[in-house]
Amino acid sequence: MFAMELVVVLLAIYLGARLGGIGIGFAGGLGVLVLTLVGGMKPGAIPFDVIEIIMGVIAAIAAMQVAGGMDYLVSLAERLLRRHPRYVTFLAPLVTYGMTLLAGTGHTAFSTLPVIAEVAKEQGIRPSRPLSIAVVASQIAITASPISAAVVFFAGILEPKGISYLALLSVAIPSTMVAIFIAAIVTNFLGKELADDEIYQARLAKGEVSRRGSNGFVEKPGAKRSLLLFLAGIVAVVFYATATSDAVGLITNPLLPRNEAIVVFMLTVATLICLTCRIDTGEILNASTFKSGMSACVCVLGVAWLGDTFVKGHLQDIQAVAGDLLRSSPWMLALILFFASTLLYSQAATTKALMPAALLLGVSPLTAVASFAAVSALFVLPTYPTLLAAVEMDDTGSTRIGRLVFNHSFLIPGVIAIALSVAFGFLFGGLWL
């Protein structure tokens, strides 16, 4: 039965990957139906704790976007890139990493990808270099964002093990930042120079390569105010989560648990943005960040529920097979998370489905923290939205997906960045935890 049910899980994930986007959530629900009603398994827990955080954060981000705060943030990023265009390969991942760190969602990278591609073309730099590492940075930054659903959930299951929310961030942020910087250095030497690329030269000769120039940003009246309110909400989240942790203990027996507090803070921020910036709340429903966030909720709902159903149903079998292996070779956890995230397509879903089981199997908290960045291998299959957007926005043809599917521009930068993030996670975790 174990083998049959594993096949059901894999087929559901494969079907979801074929459907794309929100379809992986739909297929996850189908998988739960087959496992429970046909296979007789007890359904796992619906991941409402992760979904509520995504919904709360996305509500605030979408309100900020409608008020112009997101465009203002992108204009700051464009100003930075155009001020130092020769270093676009190093600054681009810094920009996407920072935006994801603040927003808790990698979809913020969509708005900066056209700027990155344009600045690279203007300097004669192969756009695949900054674009590829920028997309990877936006994905890995999820595991370091104070308000991402993956971080908040992971911190919650680590606290009984003696690892506080602040301790998790103190390892995740520096390890991923250093890894991204080193990966950017390596990426800067990948591929031919743009002037020597045959595909680029062919497109240039056909007139298929355009020059966009500056986007002529027009600031909305409430843009800066909405951004400041959102940043204030992040500060409030970090302070509250730290103050209520057992390690700090500034607030004992809090009335609001951390997850609920984050949702409350984010909804409050959204309310203040709507009131002070006088935006039409109806426009929030059409904001691109709102749509992508709600899609993420459905994906996590289906996939994480499917994973939890299967893992809990076979926990003893998994412990017998994998427990000793993970204890003797802890680095194997990073590999498991890496390959699982390529299929689950969500850092939050991968964390929710596998991290509790890993800790139950006897994996040390240090190993779990160090391996956390490996849940960000969403770039392996070239079907993730930001990856596809980068390919479409690079009209030079340097950012491309090869005939063998896996030989695309994002694989090498991504593998290097995650491997280094895990390595530095063990280093910094060993020093500080």
Side-chain angles (χ1 to χ4, degrees), residues 73 77-78 80-81 90-100 112 116:
L73 191 59
E78 180 170 5
L80 173 65
L81 293 173
F90 306 100
L91 293 176
L94 176 66
V95 166
T96 55
Y97 181 95
M99 292 181 67
T100 302
T112 60
I116 294 168

Side-chain angles (χ1 to χ4, degrees), residues 320-371:
V321 174
D324 293 337
L325 178 63
L326 287 175
R327 281 190 288 271
S328 61
S329 304
W331 53 271
M332 287 291 294
L333 176 62
L335 284 180
I336 293 170
L337 295 174
F338 182 94
F339 288 111
S341 63
T342 65
L343 300 173
L344 298 181
Y345 260 38
S346 166
Q347 295 92 335
T350 305
T351 304
K352 175 74 175 178
L354 297 180
M355 279 301 195
L359 293 173
L360 284 174
L361 289 173
V363 170
S364 70
L366 169 59
T367 298
V369 171
S371 304

Side-chain angles (χ1 to χ4, degrees), residues 1-11 34-35 310 314:
M1 289 300 294
F2 178 88
M4 292 288 294
E5 287 157 357
L6 179 60
V7 168
V8 170
V9 172
L10 294 177
L11 285 177
V34 174
L35 290 179
F310 178 78
H314 295 285

